[in-house]
Amino acid sequence: MPKQLLIKQLFGEHGVQPTENKMFRFIFILTIFGFCLATYVQTLSAEGVKALMQNLGVKMSKVKRTILEIERKTFHLTGLTVPLLYHIMLEYFEWTQQDFAFFCWTVTASVWVADLFRVYVPNGNDYFPFSLLKKVLREKEKAQLSGTSFFSFGCTLAISLFPPAIATTSILWLVIGDMSAALIGVSFGGDMCVVKMGREGKKSAEGSVAMFLACVVIGMFIYGDVYLSEYAVVFGALTATITELYEPCGLNDNLTIPIISSLALQVGLSRIETCAGI
């Protein structure tokens, strides 16, 4: 059988990458859902959030910390605007991957300059707009670069180095997967498995399982039409989970998850092509 015909039969017209239209629709729906969820949580009173946590089965001793983590992680849902904007520019404004990468490097440079100002200028956290972020910054982040700087850098590297679908998937794994790990870990960590994991022994099995499952679901929504994609998705999702769990080289996971999981996903998809005899 001719090679091109085999490719078309196994992978369709677009090979191992999903169509741009499918990517845009999925990210748009996910972003709208994410912002609706964040808005709903923000409209609840403190007592309302507390009651919601108790109804979900969170122990009383963990409710306060869970509420604080919810405030941080709902803010992180704004990270969904990165892949959404990426595919809007690709789909409707005919930007190339290189065009958007240049835009991202510009934004990243601005974010780092602003964050360095916040850290090194006396009382920098009290200046607008940094004063608005005090609730979502961890205590240690008030005297060092925030996760936002590493998030922008990690996303920019992924967008610059990998195909749009792969970079987008890794960013969604970071935003949704990391949020799932944090919220489930804080809320239910140690309830079923008392073993602590991670580089500092502070992570829970429940949180890691939640992240892995969230990443697999997202990956299968994106790559579900690709032949044997489940193998590449599981490999990439597992890599993202392990990266979040052990924070290799002590680097911020907002930087490492997009890069390492993009590489793992690309390797997995390449292996699918190889195994198919292409």
Side-chain angles (χ1 to χ4, degrees):
M1 180 181 296
K3 179 178 178 180
Q4 293 302 319
L5 180 59
L6 178 60
I7 293 174
K8 188 173 181 179
Q9 284 186 346
L10 293 179
F11 301 106
E13 298 287 347
H14 299 275
V16 296
Q17 300 301 327
T19 64
E20 187 57 47
N21 184 261
K22 177 184 177 181
M23 288 291 300
F24 174 74
R25 285 187 282 110
F26 174 72
I27 297 165
F28 180 77
I29 293 171
L30 187 62
T31 304
I32 294 298
F33 176 78
F35 275 90
C36 288
L37 178 63
T39 301
Y40 168 71
V41 172
Q42 292 298 322
T43 58
L44 291 175
S45 64
E47 289 301 316
V49 176
K50 184 177 179 180
L52 176 62
M53 292 299 97
Q54 291 175 328
N55 290 335
L56 291 174
V58 180
K59 293 181 178 179
M60 279 294 296
S61 59
K62 297 181 178 181
V63 167
K64 183 177 180 180
R65 188 182 171 201
T66 300
I67 291 174
L68 290 175
E69 198 65 29
I70 288 174
E71 291 179 344
R72 295 191 186 103
K73 293 305 179 181
T74 51
F75 170 75
H76 287 184
L77 285 173
T78 57
L80 292 173
T81 58
V82 175
L84 178 63
L85 180 60
Y86 189 11
H87 289 276
I88 287 175
M89 302 312 291
L90 291 177
E91 179 79 1
Y92 296 105
F93 292 88
E94 298 183 353
W95 278 30
T96 65
Q97 176 185 350
Q98 291 73 27
D99 292 332
F100 195 75
F102 178 78
F103 169 76
C104 287
W105 282 112
T106 303
V107 172
T108 297
S110 302
V111 169
W112 275 69
V113 168
D115 213 15
L116 287 169
F117 172 88
R118 177 187 63 82
V119 172
Y120 289 105
V121 171
N123 301 315
N125 287 292
D126 297 327
Y127 289 99
F128 180 85
F130 310 119
S131 56
L132 301 177
L133 304 178
K134 282 186 175 181
K135 290 179 66 176
V136 298
L137 286 176
R138 299 183 187 277
E139 196 60 38
K140 65 179 182 179
E141 288 183 313
K142 293 179 181 179
Q144 63 185 44
L145 290 172
S146 67
T148 302
S149 293
F150 294 102
F151 175 85
S152 64
F153 191 24
C155 291
T156 298
L157 284 173
I159 288 167
S160 301
L161 298 174
F162 299 97
I166 290 178
T168 296
T169 303
S170 70
I171 294 170
L172 294 179
W173 283 349
L174 170 59
V175 175
I176 305 298
D178 184 60
M179 182 182 73
S180 300
L183 294 182
I184 297 300
V186 169
S187 303
F188 304 105
D191 290 355
M192 298 182 65
C193 180
V194 297
V195 177
K196 289 296 183 180
M197 305 185 300
R199 189 169 60 89
E200 297 180 351
K202 296 180 179 180
K203 304 292 181 68
S204 68
E206 291 89 342
S208 293
V209 170
M211 177 172 181
F212 174 71
L213 293 177
C215 291
V216 169
V217 170
I218 290 170
M220 289 310 301
F221 264 107
I222 295 174
Y223 283 97
D225 295 336
V226 175
Y227 178 70
L228 296 177
S229 61
E230 58 271 20
Y231 297 102
V233 167
V234 168
F235 179 56
L238 183 60
T239 301
T241 303
I242 293 173
T243 302
E244 189 277 336
L245 184 60
Y246 288 102
E247 299 174 324
C249 302
L251 295 174
N252 190 290
D253 59 10
N254 289 293
L255 170 61
T256 54
I257 289 175
I259 303 305
I260 298 177
S261 63
S262 287
L263 181 60
L265 184 56
Q266 179 155 315
V267 169
L269 293 171
S270 298
R271 289 295 298 160
I272 290 172
E273 291 183 332
T274 302
C275 292
I278 297 175

